Amino acid sequence: MAETKTTVTAANAKTASHQPAKSSNLFSSLAVPICLVIGFCLYYFVLGNPANFQGGNVEGKPVEAGIGKWFGTVYHGGVVVPILLSVLLTCLTFVIERALYLSKAKGKFSGAELVRKVQYHLANKNVDAALAECDKQKGSVGNVLKAGLKKYKEMIGNTELDTEQKLLQIKNEIEETTALELPMMEKNLVFLSTIASVATLLGLFGTVLGMIKAFTAMSAGGAPDSSQLALGISEALINTALGIGTSALAIISYNYFTTNIDGITYAIDESGFTLTQSFAANHK
């Protein structure tokens, strides 16, 4: 009966652990198309506002002063600009989402501090106090340690298994919980790594299209017009600026997040080692 109850509890815990994953999947699937729609709306209705152009003609020159001058210039960057805007918005969306999630995963205080507190309580054979510290931390390290401590507490009262088997049970519990935590921390980073590569290429593609357009117009017009050529080149380079800027943001954010994840992973590994060593030392 007790075994059945434990199995049901474990199943409920696993079901609960999948709820954040489902929400995250829904967010990922909706974020990209929403950013795409917003990007095109910004291009056509904000950058392409007739007020940003002389005489209200969107095909003409941008106004000579104010923010409308910049909006009009970016609008003339061509058909790749709304795609680049969408990519930039997608990048910002996932940067904010990952920043919020990893801030939560770090917990109220550092994993290293939690490990020290748990070590102190286990040395005094006070498992409940160690569990309370995990509840206070409220991070990924705390979640893994809490699962391990519950198994630790269970193994203390177990008279059927020897020490090695008990240690294996604790290790397995820690590994299972870690396997649930790590994918959630790394989730959506693939979007940033992809954007880091694709944004620059899109920017260059838009620049090439703009240059082709500029030189074609110049050749069709007969005598070269240096001012028109310069304007065409500047508009083409808008794509390069947007692409490189978006790529730089994605690369910096990706490296920052992976560094944070490595730090949390190290703290999780340290916590697991501490737990097993403590049990081995106190329950030989």
Side-chain angles (χ1 to χ4, degrees):
M1 183 71 179
E3 184 180 351
T4 304
K5 185 177 180 181
T6 304
T7 304
V8 172
T9 304
N12 290 337
K14 287 183 179 179
T15 301
S17 70
H18 287 307
Q19 295 303 319
K22 289 180 180 178
S23 299
S24 183
N25 288 334
L26 180 62
F27 173 82
S28 302
S29 61
L30 291 177
V32 175
I34 289 174
C35 288
L36 195 63
V37 170
I38 293 174
F40 275 85
C41 288
L42 284 174
Y43 179 74
Y44 286 108
F45 301 114
V46 178
L47 301 182
N49 189 326
N52 298 328
F53 303 91
Q54 296 179 17
N57 180 15
V58 295
E59 298 299 327
K61 292 182 179 181
V63 293
E64 296 181 353
I67 196 169
K69 175 183 178 181
W70 297 102
F71 282 178
T73 302
V74 174
Y75 177 82
H76 281 168
V79 294
V80 181
V81 170
I83 300 174
L84 283 168
L85 287 174
S86 302
V87 172
L88 176 59
L89 288 171
T90 303
C91 182
L92 289 171
T93 299
F94 285 109
V95 165
I96 294 170
E97 186 268 338
R98 284 295 88 189
L100 293 174
Y101 184 87
L102 290 178
S103 175
K104 183 180 178 182
K106 286 180 181 179
K108 300 294 183 181
F109 50 89
S110 71
E113 184 180 346
L114 175 63
V115 170
R116 287 194 298 270
K117 290 180 178 181
V118 169
Q119 279 180 322
Y120 171 78
H121 291 305
L122 292 181
N124 294 317
K125 298 184 178 180
N126 191 344
V127 182
D128 290 332
L131 283 167
E133 292 294 343
C134 294
D135 290 331
K136 291 178 185 176
Q137 203 263 349
K138 294 182 179 179
S140 292
V141 180
N143 292 340
V144 174
L145 256 180
K146 184 177 181 180
L149 284 168
K150 286 182 177 179
K151 183 61 69 172
Y152 184 108
K153 188 175 182 180
E154 180 185 330
M155 290 299 105
I156 291 175
N158 191 305
T159 57
E160 298 177 0
L161 304 176
D162 59 32
T163 302
E164 288 299 322
Q165 291 173 319
K166 291 178 180 179
L167 284 172
L168 184 60
Q169 290 286 320
I170 295 172
K171 287 179 181 177
N172 288 340
E173 186 67 23
I174 292 171
E175 288 174 0
E176 287 178 8
T177 311
T178 303
L180 292 173
E181 290 289 334
L182 290 183
M184 290 304 298
M185 287 190 286
E186 295 172 351
K187 192 173 182 63
N188 295 334
L189 288 182
V190 65
F191 286 97
L192 295 181
S193 63
T194 303
I195 288 170
S197 303
V198 171
T200 304
L201 296 176
L202 280 172
L204 291 174
F205 178 67
T207 301
V208 171
L209 290 181
M211 295 292 284
I212 291 172
K213 181 180 177 182
F215 281 106
T216 300
M218 186 182 71
S219 64
D225 186 340
S226 58
S227 63
Q228 287 298 320
L229 179 61
L231 179 62
I233 293 173
S234 68
E235 291 173 353
L237 291 177
I238 294 292
N239 293 276
T240 305
L242 277 173
I244 291 175
T246 303
S247 180
L249 175 63
I251 291 170
I252 293 169
S253 301
Y254 180 84
N255 290 336
Y256 174 77
F257 292 143
T258 52
T259 301
N260 277 270
I261 291 170
D262 288 342
I264 295 172
T265 303
Y266 176 79
I268 288 174
D269 292 339
E270 185 183 8
S271 68
F273 178 77
T274 297
L275 210 58
T276 53
Q277 289 296 106
S278 174
F279 189 89
N282 296 332
H283 303 88
K284 293 181 180 178

